[in-house]
Amino acid sequence: MRMSRYFLPVLKENPAEAQIVSHRLMLRAGMIKQSSAGIYSWLPLGFKVLRKIENIVHEEQARAGHHAMQMPTIQSADLWRESGRYDAYGEEMLRIKDRHGRDMLFTPTAEEMITDIFRAHVGSYKDLPLTMYQIQWKFRDEVRPRFGVMRGREFYMKDGYNFDLTKEDALHAYNRHLVSYLRTYERMGLQAIPMRADSGPIGGDNTHEFLVLADTGESEVFYDSAVTDLTFGDRDIDYDDHAQCAAVMEEFTTKYARTDETHDEALFHEVPEERRKTARGIEVGQIFYFGTKYSEAMKATVQGPDGKPTPVHMGSHGIGVSRLLGAIIEASHDDKGIIWPEGVTPYHCGIVNLKQGDEEADAACDALYKSITALGLEPLYDDRKDRAGGKFATMDLIGLPWRITVGPRGLKNGVVELTSRRTGESVEMAPEAAVQKIAEIYAQH
């Protein structure tokens, strides 16, 4: 992509309505535009990052053996009355009527819909286990939407649902999801800590939220600082191995880590004093096991090994895909702008031409652009006839992790400058070496 042809409406001044860093930088970087309270249009740069995050979620769900699907955003109230949640859910659910006067709703979650699909098509325990998921726009009518995409009314979410014959099998699905989520977040450059949480309107006894520590987090969290030393890394996990998944669950959830709703002061004081920490956290996902709550209410049964109808055990698992953009920015920025981790960056590197119109500089930038593109990577080439300072400021604001700077003076010595956005360090090298370095960096991602 060339900047001269790109739609990137960056702002020089901080928007008055933006209270936190991620909202401010997303508006300034031309990633989103507010349509109404808590509802945003996703402009090209923001939409590109949203798709990068979505693709990582899809890849890790497929790795865990889960099946992608799509359900309607508008659902019949009748299904929700079956489960007993239509009246219980609260005013966050947008209730509407169609032209025939039938009660409908804009789905905030889809336990009822997926249970209805399951009971219509699955009749035997031999078809289990089964996990299906979707990534879909949701709507919750927040009383006070704020913080940009962090607490909006319309949001993009991955919601998955498992169906198992026994509690033991369903808890394995729970553990399997924890493993897949740890991989997902680490690929995005995040440390998301699983914390014992409250189940809220979803229900169930077992639930963990995944929280990213940040000063602007909406939740107060209490944790043993030893949990921040845990990393999943490149482990080779067999998702069908109950013991292996359970071991990861134990490793990442044994040390104290809880949200304020489930905080237990007595247990917390069993943690050594120097490791007792209190902070704010941004929720980026949650997993639930709720047993037969929905299957019994909605008669979702299978024929068990004994030939008798058996209610299936269920769980649900969510990732806030759009919210993750805000969380990543809150965790990775400086006073100049965003710093994208390599796994989710909208473009793999920026190319800055210090003297657009100079024959040699233009040719060198074009060659770099073609070489990087040929590797299957995406560069963003700033080919505008602007001052160098303005070009650097834009690149710093939008946060591409690497920048190649090309100017006549360097080219006379056969070099360009490769700069790390995270460290600010610059190294002069031959253009071919810069391309090779970019290739090596992204081979790990």
Side-chain angles (χ1 to χ4, degrees):
M1 179 57 65
R2 295 170 183 262
M3 291 275 276
S4 60
R5 303 174 188 172
Y6 199 40
F7 181 65
L8 187 65
V10 298
L11 305 175
K12 292 184 179 179
E13 303 298 327
N14 288 325
E17 72 272 24
Q19 299 176 337
I20 62 172
V21 169
S22 57
H23 191 194
R24 182 166 67 246
L25 290 178
M26 289 183 77
L27 289 170
R28 283 198 57 209
M31 298 178 70
I32 55 173
K33 181 183 183 302
Q34 182 170 304
S35 171
S36 59
I39 300 175
Y40 293 86
S41 295
W42 290 77
L43 307 183
L45 190 72
F47 186 64
K48 197 167 181 61
V49 180
L50 190 69
R51 283 287 178 255
K52 290 285 185 80
I53 290 173
E54 179 182 5
N55 287 340
I56 290 173
V57 174
H58 276 304
E59 288 168 5
E60 292 305 326
Q61 288 297 295
R63 189 195 297 265
H66 307 157
H67 308 293
M69 62 176 301
Q70 196 76 68
M71 290 177 275
T73 56
I74 303 295
Q75 297 182 7
S76 168
D78 292 342
L79 283 175
W80 286 66
R81 289 191 176 108
E82 273 193 71
S83 71
R85 283 207 303 171
Y86 184 68
D87 296 316
Y89 199 89
E91 294 185 359
E92 288 80 17
M93 186 163 67
L94 183 63
R95 295 163 172 84
I96 54 181
K97 289 184 182 290
D98 67 11
R99 67 193 302 166
H100 302 292
R102 290 177 294 226
D103 290 326
M104 310 290 284
L105 57 96
F106 195 122
T107 173
T109 182
E111 281 81 7
E112 286 80 3
M113 178 64 69
I114 194 70
T115 305
D116 183 54
I117 292 169
F118 177 87
R119 69 185 177 182
H121 297 288
V122 180
S124 170
Y125 76 96
K126 295 178 182 178
D127 297 319
L128 303 179
L130 178 64
T131 297
M132 296 184 283
Y133 77 96
Q134 63 177 350
I135 299 179
Q136 179 198 63
W137 289 103
K138 299 284 196 298
F139 187 89
R140 292 177 189 164
D141 200 4
E142 296 280 354
V143 175
R144 192 161 64 93
R146 60 195 186 278
F147 303 155
V149 302
M150 297 282 286
R151 197 167 184 85
R153 292 193 294 166
E154 186 181 56
F155 54 96
Y156 205 44
M157 177 181 166
K158 173 261 167 182
D159 50 316
Y161 308 90
N162 67 282
F163 300 87
D164 291 275
L165 183 64
T166 66
K167 180 176 181 178
E168 180 187 1
D169 290 340
L171 289 176
H172 170 61
Y174 188 92
N175 296 345
R176 189 175 68 237
H177 277 83
L178 180 130
V179 174
S180 70
Y181 279 22
L182 290 172
R183 287 186 58 93
T184 298
Y185 296 126
E186 285 193 12
R187 284 187 60 186
M188 297 174 190
L190 287 173
Q191 182 178 44
I193 302 169
M195 297 192 179
R196 177 69 65 180
D198 181 66
S199 61
I202 303 293
D205 298 325
N206 290 60
T207 181
H208 282 84
E209 286 181 2
F210 292 78
L211 290 108
V212 175
L213 300 180
D215 292 339
T216 50
E218 73 272 58
S219 301
E220 186 176 18
V221 297
F222 303 81
Y223 64 97
D224 179 341
S225 64
V227 301
T228 60
D229 297 328
L230 299 174
T231 56
F232 187 80
D234 244 356
R235 306 184 200 189
D236 185 17
I237 295 289
D238 179 356
Y239 282 100
D240 292 327
D241 188 321
H242 286 225
Q244 205 173 16
C245 291
V248 176
M249 166 65 78
E250 183 177 3
E251 177 185 354
F252 279 83
T253 63
T254 298
K255 293 180 174 62
Y256 192 92
R258 296 193 177 204
T259 60
D260 50 1
E261 295 99 335
T262 61
H263 176 54
D264 184 319
E265 195 65 29
L267 285 177
F268 190 47
H269 275 273
E270 293 180 10
V271 177
E273 185 176 358
E274 70 276 8
R275 291 183 0 215
R276 272 182 241 145
K277 303 293 181 183
T278 305
R280 308 295 298 180
I282 300 168
E283 182 199 342
V284 291
Q286 191 164 4
I287 57 177
F288 303 85
Y289 162 69
F290 41 70
T292 58
K293 173 182 175 178
Y294 295 91
S295 56
E296 287 185 349
M298 300 181 68
K299 298 179 174 59
T301 63
V302 295
Q303 186 180 43
D306 58 2
K308 297 179 180 179
T310 304
V312 291
H313 287 253
M314 292 177 58
S316 66
H317 322 90
I319 289 181
V321 176
S322 53
R323 167 181 276 245
L324 273 165
L325 273 84
I328 291 168
I329 293 170
E330 291 292 332
S332 186
H333 67 273
D334 60 17
D335 57 358
K336 295 179 182 178
I338 302 164
I339 306 173
W340 290 116
E342 279 82 356
V344 296
T345 180
Y347 292 93
H348 296 99
C349 71
I351 300 172
V352 173
N353 189 340
L354 293 180
K355 195 170 183 181
Q356 195 70 37
D358 177 87
E359 186 175 342
E360 189 177 3
D362 290 356
C365 287
D366 285 338
L368 283 167
Y369 185 88
K370 290 176 182 176
S371 296
I372 294 169
T373 302
L375 294 170
L377 301 175
E378 295 180 284
L380 179 62
Y381 174 20
D382 193 341
D383 60 343
R384 300 171 299 165
K385 293 184 177 179
D386 288 0
R387 293 182 298 108
K391 291 186 174 186
F392 290 147
T394 297
M395 284 292 177
D396 285 342
L397 173 62
I398 66 175
L400 306 187
W402 297 92
R403 185 185 76 223
I404 301 175
T405 305
V406 181
R409 185 180 302 174
L411 290 174
K412 285 181 181 178
N413 297 319
V415 297
V416 296
E417 189 176 71
L418 179 64
T419 303
S420 164
R421 174 69 181 86
R422 186 167 298 279
T423 66
E425 294 178 358
S426 295
V427 179
E428 289 187 339
M429 58 182 68
E432 298 81 7
V435 172
Q436 180 61 32
K437 181 65 174 176
I438 293 294
E440 291 172 1
I441 290 166
Y442 286 102
Q444 305 170 37
H445 297 276

